[in-house]
Amino acid sequence: MNYTLNQLQVFLKVVQTGSVTKAAEELHLTQPAVSIQLKNFQDQFEIPLTEVVGRKIHVTDFGHEVADSAEYIINQVNAINYKTMAYKGLLTGRLKISVVSTGKYVMPYFLAGFMKEHSGVELLMDVTNKSRVVESLKKNEVDFALVSLLPTSLNFEKMDLLENNLFLVGSPQIEFNESIADEDFFKELPLIFREEGSGTRQTMQQFIEKNNITVGKKMELTSNEAVKQAVMAGLGYSIMPLIGIKNELHNKQLKIIPMKGLPITTMWSLIWPKEKKHMPVPLAFLQYLNKEKDNIVTKMMR
């Protein structure tokens, strides 16, 4: 057998995601490239690693055993790399962060400088909804989480990073009756929500309840990008964080609709369990943010 470390990494990612397409996305490779690596890896075994049933890939029992071994080998290789860098006096290890969906527009700015300073640090960032973010903290699967609404079911510490302002937005191509009272606005026009468990959805619902607004037509989509595209296409209106729609506002693909009580202002905060004992990498990241966060925010606001 003559399989490569790259083939092990590709196969493990296919097993973890259950999909060649998703594996390609996470590895930043094309789907054909992943398929070729998967085939070359399979050719070295007489026993099938995967099988396709109903156009969906399934991992065999033998494939799961090989994946476990592949994960162990990759972890050992990473350990060797970390030790080599440590001997050179470099900071090494993993930084694991769970980020709510809209936070993907925020967190990279606070990571970029740190990652450039520390080439020995490996970043693992999971982008998901608020419910799963909080769950990952409870299970101690990550070092930090980025949220715009603080959880009530967790004893945590936090570092505030940036204000989060949410506005009502719609497509410039759609005209609406500006004389409609705020409380009647959504009786006339469809309002587009994120899915249950989303922090943005929770913020929208709190605003609607607080202002006794009646929502007539309603749509639900499962990502901020999907909501944004739907609003741009004229399917409805939504309350969205400014950080994720700046380009579309500048390009006149979206417009802000003035409404009493808006914008809603929350805070992007990095949180972690109160009893958490930080390893050197996350501790160094906190020290970096304490020193640089004001400069980062200033640059973002230009």
Side-chain angles (χ1 to χ4, degrees):
M1 291 187 181
N2 192 29
Y3 42 78
T4 66
L5 181 61
N6 185 48
Q7 288 172 352
L8 291 175
Q9 291 171 326
V10 167
F11 177 65
L12 180 59
K13 187 59 68 175
V14 169
V15 173
Q16 290 172 338
T17 60
S19 163
V20 170
T21 301
K22 290 179 181 177
E25 290 174 358
E26 295 193 15
L27 291 169
H28 305 291
L29 297 171
T30 64
Q31 187 172 333
V34 170
S35 297
I36 290 169
Q37 291 293 337
L38 188 61
K39 180 183 182 302
N40 290 342
F41 188 58
Q42 173 64 78
D43 287 346
Q44 299 180 68
F45 299 92
E46 295 180 2
I47 304 172
L49 299 171
T50 61
E51 55 187 357
V52 177
V53 179
R55 300 184 67 182
K56 184 177 180 181
I57 193 167
H58 295 268
V59 183
T60 64
D61 290 342
F62 177 64
H64 280 294
E65 291 192 21
V66 171
D68 289 341
S69 297
E71 185 172 20
Y72 175 80
I73 292 168
I74 292 167
N75 286 338
Q76 292 304 304
V77 170
N78 288 335
I80 292 171
N81 292 337
Y82 294 151
K83 288 176 182 178
T84 302
M85 291 178 180
Y87 269 94
K88 293 180 180 179
L90 301 175
L91 181 67
T92 64
R94 288 182 173 179
L95 179 61
K96 295 178 284 186
I97 303 178
S98 188
V99 177
V100 295
S101 298
T102 312
K104 68 185 176 186
Y105 302 111
V106 176
M107 200 68 233
Y109 290 96
F110 292 93
L111 284 164
F114 179 77
M115 297 303 295
K116 287 177 184 176
E117 271 184 39
H118 303 289
S119 59
V121 171
E122 181 184 358
L123 173 65
L124 300 176
M125 189 170 81
D126 180 37
V127 180
T128 182
N129 66 31
K130 184 193 171 190
S131 296
R132 293 176 185 171
V133 165
V134 173
E135 191 64 23
S136 67
L137 275 184
K138 288 180 179 178
K139 292 180 178 179
N140 200 33
E141 294 172 343
V142 295
D143 301 307
F144 304 110
L146 182 71
V147 296
S148 59
L149 289 177
L150 298 174
T152 57
S153 58
L154 188 69
N155 193 15
F156 60 87
E157 295 186 51
K158 71 183 178 80
M159 179 186 293
D160 292 337
L161 299 181
L162 179 73
E163 278 192 354
N164 181 36
N165 296 304
L166 296 95
F167 292 84
L168 177 65
V169 293
S171 169
Q173 300 173 8
I174 298 181
E175 296 183 2
F176 63 94
N177 186 351
E178 296 187 29
S179 66
I180 296 176
D182 290 346
E183 60 271 18
D184 296 327
F185 189 89
F186 296 117
K187 290 180 182 177
E188 304 284 330
L189 299 164
L191 186 60
I192 304 175
F193 286 80
R194 283 285 307 280
E195 80 283 3
E196 290 286 352
S198 159
T200 300
R201 181 190 180 110
Q202 185 178 339
T203 301
M204 287 176 63
Q205 288 177 324
Q206 289 172 351
F207 171 76
I208 288 166
E209 291 167 6
K210 180 181 177 181
N211 292 276
N212 297 314
I213 293 173
T214 301
V215 177
K217 300 176 183 178
K218 179 178 172 182
M219 296 174 61
E220 182 178 302
L221 300 175
T222 57
S223 75
N224 281 316
E225 284 301 314
V227 172
K228 182 162 61 176
Q229 293 299 323
V231 174
M232 287 165 55
L235 286 176
Y237 294 76
S238 190
I239 297 174
M240 302 191 71
L242 180 64
I243 191 72
I245 57 173
K246 283 185 175 181
N247 289 338
E248 288 75 18
L249 290 171
H250 178 75
N251 295 331
K252 302 189 185 310
Q253 296 171 294
L254 290 174
K255 66 179 176 183
I256 291 176
I257 300 168
M259 178 172 279
K260 182 180 177 182
L262 294 176
I264 305 165
T265 299
T266 60
M267 179 66 70
W268 286 112
S269 299
L270 198 69
I271 65 172
W272 61 93
K274 197 148 195 167
E275 65 278 7
K276 181 82 172 177
K277 304 295 181 186
H278 289 303
M279 298 294 284
V281 169
L283 186 60
F285 183 56
L286 282 180
Q287 293 168 346
Y288 167 82
L289 288 179
N290 274 316
K291 180 183 176 183
E292 298 292 340
K293 70 170 184 174
D294 290 342
N295 292 332
I296 296 168
V297 171
T298 299
K299 289 178 181 177
M300 290 176 69
M301 294 298 101
R302 286 177 184 169

